[in-house]
Amino acid sequence: RSKQNVDYAFLLNFCANLSTYYLMLEDDVKCAKFFFTAIKKVLTARENSYWVMLEFSKLGYIGKLYHSTDLPQLSRFLLLFYQEMPCDWLLTYFRKLLTQDA
């Protein structure tokens, strides 16, 4: 789990300035029909509200959407606590630290 946290931290840091949003997917994920449309609808509905992470899957770290501007901070957070717990558990604390309710 420590190596995975470090790997994700480097990935997040690399992706920080590539787009407006970052969606965590893995190479073996099969997306549901109209998944992109569903994400766009949620983003439109939450346009004027504060959010740190939106969840489009309950499977660990898969399907989590972030603002790309938050990625460097998330990367540092994963590196700071990389030996403490798996990254999907750390995400809960990251979201709470940035004051987003469930």
Side-chain angles (χ1 to χ4, degrees), residues 5-6 8-13 16 22-24 52-53 61 64-82 86-95 97-98:
N5 286 343
V6 172
Y8 279 141
F10 281 106
L11 175 66
L12 294 168
N13 199 50
Y22 173 84
L23 178 64
M24 176 59 81
V52 176
M53 176 181 71
Y61 204 20
K64 308 305 184 258
L65 183 77
Y66 302 93
H67 295 278
S68 289
T69 54
D70 290 333
L71 296 181
Q73 190 173 8
L74 176 55
S75 174
R76 287 190 298 273
F77 185 79
L78 290 176
L79 288 174
L80 187 61
F81 298 107
Y82 77 100
C87 57
D88 49 328
W89 293 7
L90 286 171
L91 295 178
T92 304
Y93 293 103
F94 180 75
R95 186 173 59 201
L97 283 170
L98 293 181

Side-chain angles (χ1 to χ4, degrees), residues 1-41:
R1 84 179 167 207
S2 320
K3 182 182 180 321
Q4 185 181 39
N5 286 343
V6 172
D7 289 346
Y8 279 141
F10 281 106
L11 175 66
L12 294 168
N13 199 50
F14 176 81
C15 293
N17 296 312
L18 298 179
S19 65
T20 305
Y21 301 105
Y22 173 84
L23 178 64
M24 176 59 81
L25 294 175
E26 292 186 4
D27 61 346
D28 59 347
V29 170
K30 286 193 174 195
C31 296
K33 192 173 183 179
F34 302 115
F35 86 103
F36 187 67
T37 304
I39 291 171
K40 283 176 59 176
K41 278 185 179 180

